[in-house]
Amino acid sequence: MGKEIISSRQFMIITLLFSIGTAILILPASVTIEAKQDAWIAAIFGVVLSLPVIKLFVAFGNTTPTLTFVEANEKILGRFFGKFTSIGFILIALLSAGELLYFIGIFMKTEIMPETPTTAFAFLFSIIIIYAAFLGIEVFARSAEILFPIFILIFIFFVIFISPSIKIENLQPIMETPKESIFFSMIRFISLFSFPLVMLLMIFPSAVNVQKSAQKGFYIGSMIGGIVLITIITLCILVLGPANTASRTFPSYSLAQRISIGNFLQRIEVIMATMWIISIYIRTFMYFYAAVVGIAQICKINNHRPLIFPLGMIILGLSQIVHPSIIHSDIYNRDTWPIFSLVVMVLLPLVLLIVAKIRKINGNQGNNTQSNCSTQNENDSNNGNATQGTGSNNNDNSSQSNSSNNGDNTTHNVSNSNNVNSTQNASSSNAGNATQNENSSNNDNSTQSDSSNNVGNATQGESSSNNDNSTQSDNSSNNDNPSPSKSDYASSDTTQNDSDTGNTPNSDKNKESPES
């Protein structure tokens, strides 16, 4: 199965919508219970304190840039402990996916269609999640890219239409709430806003094409999502009041019911519910995708698609048993979830990052670095003959020298060495004598002299040794007659002299041989 890649812009959109998620439905009530009219202050502090959490996730992602969170667990902690912690991560992902299906069902039953059972809504929404998982993360990212403008447009209209109902006195008195209450409200905000972002480590940065842009997108998407949540909480307090906001299960939906423009534009809260369904869809998919891919990677299954339908049925069953009542859900989100998410979603990545630093596991490990330096000189003679030389060694440094004379000779020099100091001389004379000398030793020093004449004799020599030192020179004249000679030796000095005079032509064999 090929690896799926998304763009950094798509990742930023996923981060933004994921950070909002179901928090847009239940967070105003959870924060306002303790902080009352100062809940917006707790939300601002929560967004600011979420920056170190996001920094932790980014640093962990850069430690193992080619691995998902589950794969990084096994690499850092080892096979046994890595699988153990990964199982805990997958369990909380499955449980959270089932809980979000529960919220979809209870929201639709409570606010829109009270006579329809919650199972029907959870079943229909689970079909969407399963189908999106079958299509893959790339198709999901494109769908998020399409839904994002719709979300922003509805949010802008929501803020504009609800503005006439704002009452500033609902925020007063400011800073009257005890600091302990603001602190607990801030922790609840962070637990629903930034802690779940650890799920994005299943695609960041291993499935993002540009990692540096994705890091910026992580911060930008989270901050924009935080601003949206701060705005929703503030509007709930300004319009509904702190007591009314804390007593409602879904205060943001009740806020949309207050929209009334000229006694004509009313009852549009169902359209506003589209904004919340989009954000819940993004978060539910990421929980489900993290669980499916995580199980596949633990079991060493290359294709995770066969696991999608069974796990989809599991989260559908969990949605019916995860909370027996809405009261249990409120208590769980206020008291249990902050501690649970802190351990699995923050302390676990922190421990993994510390262990990775101790074991010196970084992003450069396992990457092969190769550097090649090459120099190529080409000289053309009067008749248009070309000369090319190529050299390579273990240090990937090559030096090439080429020469040609008036007799239209072509010279090809090749040298291979580990640490080679080479000197090459090329000369031509009218006497038509060609001489080639080759020396090699354990000290890896070689000297080569090549000469060619107008008669067109060509001499080629090749030598190799245990030290991987080789020198090759090819000279060709107008007659293009090659004469190859080869010698192999180990740690020895060899000198080879070949001379042809102008009165002694090449042999018939050399004349009939093809060009080397």
Side-chain angles (χ1 to χ4, degrees):
M1 183 177 177
K3 186 177 182 180
E4 295 177 308
I5 300 297
I6 64 175
S7 66
S8 56
R9 181 177 180 271
Q10 292 171 341
F11 177 74
M12 183 196 72
I13 293 173
I14 292 173
T15 304
L16 191 155
L17 296 177
F18 181 86
S19 62
I20 297 172
T22 187
I24 197 172
L25 281 178
I26 63 175
L27 193 58
S30 299
V31 176
T32 310
I33 288 178
E34 293 286 343
K36 297 182 173 56
Q37 70 273 8
D38 292 331
W40 61 278
I41 299 176
I44 293 175
F45 281 120
V47 172
V48 174
L49 293 180
S50 295
L51 289 175
V53 178
I54 300 171
K55 176 65 176 177
L56 171 65
F57 297 156
V58 171
F60 180 82
N62 293 333
T63 302
T64 54
T66 60
L67 304 178
T68 64
F69 185 78
V70 173
E71 292 174 332
N73 276 343
E74 188 170 348
K75 181 179 178 62
I76 295 174
L77 298 180
R79 180 175 299 179
F80 177 76
F81 291 104
K83 289 184 183 298
F84 180 77
T85 55
S86 297
I87 290 174
F89 175 79
I90 292 170
L91 287 177
I92 194 173
L94 281 175
L95 182 63
S96 299
E99 185 182 14
L100 293 183
L101 288 182
Y102 166 80
F103 280 124
I104 287 291
I106 199 68
F107 169 74
M108 298 295 290
K109 178 179 175 61
T110 304
E111 303 292 347
I112 300 176
M113 302 173 70
E115 295 183 359
T116 305
T118 59
T119 308
F121 299 110
F123 176 74
L124 293 175
F125 201 76
S126 64
I127 292 176
I128 300 174
I129 301 300
I130 291 172
Y131 183 64
F134 266 109
L135 294 179
I137 189 66
E138 290 183 357
V139 177
F140 166 74
R142 296 189 192 103
S143 68
E145 205 169 8
I146 294 172
L147 295 173
F148 175 69
I150 301 174
F151 178 89
I152 295 298
L153 185 64
I154 295 176
F155 176 74
I156 292 174
F157 279 113
F158 175 76
V159 174
I160 293 174
F161 290 158
I162 201 63
S163 297
S165 302
I166 289 177
K167 298 178 181 179
I168 300 298
E169 57 270 16
N170 288 334
L171 291 179
Q172 298 172 349
I174 299 177
M175 295 297 293
E176 187 186 42
T177 307
K179 295 181 181 179
E180 293 80 7
S181 299
I182 294 179
F183 175 77
F184 286 116
S185 297
M186 181 182 63
I187 294 298
R188 289 170 184 168
F189 179 90
I190 296 175
S191 66
L192 290 173
F193 167 65
S194 60
F195 287 177
L197 290 174
V198 71
M199 295 295 164
L200 297 180
L201 292 178
M202 293 298 293
I203 61 175
F204 172 84
S206 59
V208 185
N209 56 358
V210 182
Q211 296 183 6
K212 291 185 178 179
S213 299
Q215 295 177 17
K216 297 179 182 178
F218 213 141
Y219 288 103
I220 295 174
S222 302
M223 293 301 102
I224 296 177
I227 292 172
V228 171
L229 292 178
I230 292 173
T231 304
I232 293 294
I233 293 173
T234 305
L235 288 175
C236 287
I237 297 174
L238 287 171
V239 176
L240 301 177
N244 199 9
T245 300
S247 62
R248 293 181 179 269
T249 305
F250 306 113
S252 55
Y253 186 78
S254 301
L255 184 66
Q257 290 177 333
R258 300 293 183 96
I259 295 176
S260 178
I261 306 298
N263 292 326
F264 173 73
L265 187 62
Q266 296 177 341
R267 306 299 296 177
I268 61 172
E269 61 271 8
V270 176
I271 299 176
M272 297 301 170
T274 305
M275 178 175 62
W276 306 311
I277 293 175
I278 290 174
S279 61
I280 292 174
Y281 158 71
I282 298 297
R283 180 172 283 199
T284 307
F285 173 85
M286 283 308 306
Y287 277 128
F288 182 69
Y289 181 81
V292 172
V293 175
I295 292 176
Q297 290 174 349
I298 288 178
C299 300
K300 306 299 181 183
I301 301 174
N302 294 328
N303 189 0
H304 65 271
R305 284 187 170 88
L307 302 175
I308 293 176
F309 184 75
L311 292 177
M313 295 299 99
I314 289 176
I315 64 171
L316 179 61
L318 286 174
S319 67
Q320 304 304 307
I321 63 175
V322 63
H323 295 304
S325 64
I326 192 66
I327 298 175
H328 181 274
S329 173
D330 292 339
I331 296 174
Y332 173 80
N333 288 312
R334 286 199 309 265
D335 301 332
T336 306
W337 173 255
I339 300 174
F340 194 24
S341 59
L342 177 65
V343 174
V344 179
M345 298 182 173
V346 177
L347 293 182
L348 177 59
L350 181 61
V351 171
L352 290 174
L353 185 61
I354 294 174
V355 174
K357 296 296 183 181
I358 295 175
R359 297 184 60 189
K360 297 181 179 179
I361 298 175
N362 51 49
N364 295 326
Q365 187 172 359
N367 298 328
N368 294 326
T369 304
Q370 182 176 3
S371 61
N372 297 316
C373 301
S374 62
T375 305
Q376 179 176 352
N377 299 322
E378 296 184 357
N379 299 321
D380 295 338
S381 63
N382 292 334
N383 290 333
N385 295 324
T387 300
Q388 180 179 4
T390 305
S392 63
N393 56 20
N394 291 337
N395 293 327
D396 296 333
N397 297 320
S398 62
S399 176
Q400 303 168 355
S401 63
N402 305 308
S403 64
S404 62
N405 56 14
N406 293 331
D408 302 333
N409 295 323
T410 301
T411 303
H412 183 196
N413 299 328
V414 181
S415 62
N416 298 319
S417 64
N418 290 329
N419 292 312
V420 179
N421 299 320
S422 62
T423 304
Q424 301 176 350
N425 299 320
S427 63
S428 62
S429 64
N430 295 327
N433 295 324
T435 304
Q436 177 183 10
N437 297 323
E438 300 177 358
N439 298 321
S440 64
S441 64
N442 293 330
N443 293 328
D444 298 335
N445 297 320
S446 62
T447 303
Q448 177 179 0
S449 300
D450 298 339
S451 63
S452 61
N453 56 16
N454 293 331
V455 176
N457 296 324
T459 302
Q460 178 180 3
E462 298 180 359
S463 63
S464 62
S465 66
N466 290 337
N467 292 328
D468 297 332
N469 300 322
S470 63
T471 304
Q472 178 181 359
S473 65
D474 299 336
N475 299 323
S476 62
S477 66
N478 291 334
N479 292 332
D480 297 332
N481 295 324
S483 176
S485 62
K486 301 180 179 180
S487 62
D488 298 335
Y489 58 93
S491 301
S492 63
D493 297 330
T494 303
T495 303
Q496 177 180 0
N497 297 324
D498 297 334
S499 63
D500 295 331
T501 62
N503 297 327
T504 304
N506 289 326
S507 63
D508 294 337
K509 183 178 180 180
N510 290 333
K511 291 180 180 180
E512 295 175 357
S513 62
E515 63 181 18
S516 58

